[in-house]
Amino acid sequence: MPETRAIQGRDLGAEDDFITQMLWRQVLARVHAHRADYAEAERLARAAVAIGEQTDALIWQADALRDLAEVLAAAGLTEEAADALEQALDRYERKKNLPMAAQVRQKLQSLSAGGHP
């Protein structure tokens, strides 16, 4: 179901609707990571991050970075995942989103302990 909705977002979303353009990529990235198609998952997740970086929407940027970290961790790229989480944490803190900052800190601790974020 998430894949179907992501594809609908891709097919129906306006090119200048950055949230839609980010979200369908983020969802499909996680779907591909779940299927162990890590190259495509990373490509989609990085594309979502790049779209977000063109905006001043810190929360959306942080969410995309958090999803990128999930993809990278699933692929075994722990250091890169930690870097993406650090960037997400920075944005959540700058936006004063304390609950999400706390979640990201926990994911960073889990990752550094050898777990999955």
Side-chain angles (χ1 to χ4, degrees):
M1 182 76 123
E3 182 178 18
T4 301
R5 297 288 185 226
I7 290 169
Q8 285 178 329
R10 178 193 68 197
D11 293 345
L12 300 174
E15 286 296 317
D16 62 349
D17 180 355
F18 78 90
I19 294 172
T20 299
Q21 295 302 319
M22 290 174 69
L23 286 176
W24 74 256
R25 286 172 172 86
Q26 288 169 243
V27 171
L28 283 183
R30 294 184 69 148
V31 167
H32 282 280
H34 180 72
R35 294 178 180 158
D37 182 1
Y38 301 122
E40 182 63 6
E42 183 177 350
R43 184 189 72 75
L44 287 163
R46 288 192 185 281
V49 168
I51 292 167
E53 288 175 350
Q54 297 174 33
T55 75
D56 61 356
L58 293 177
I59 297 297
W60 292 104
Q61 291 174 12
D63 290 348
L65 285 159
R66 195 183 68 230
D67 285 342
L68 173 60
E70 293 282 342
V71 166
L72 294 169
L77 301 171
T78 307
E79 288 182 30
E80 290 181 37
D83 181 56
L85 285 173
E86 290 285 352
Q87 291 179 54
L89 178 60
D90 172 68
R91 285 160 176 81
Y92 286 132
E93 287 176 338
R94 287 180 12 210
K95 198 64 178 170
K96 307 273 191 259
N97 188 330
L98 302 180
M100 289 308 299
Q103 283 185 19
V104 169
R105 277 190 207 93
Q106 288 177 342
K107 288 177 186 276
L108 276 165
Q109 288 176 341
S110 175
L111 194 62
S112 68
H116 190 275

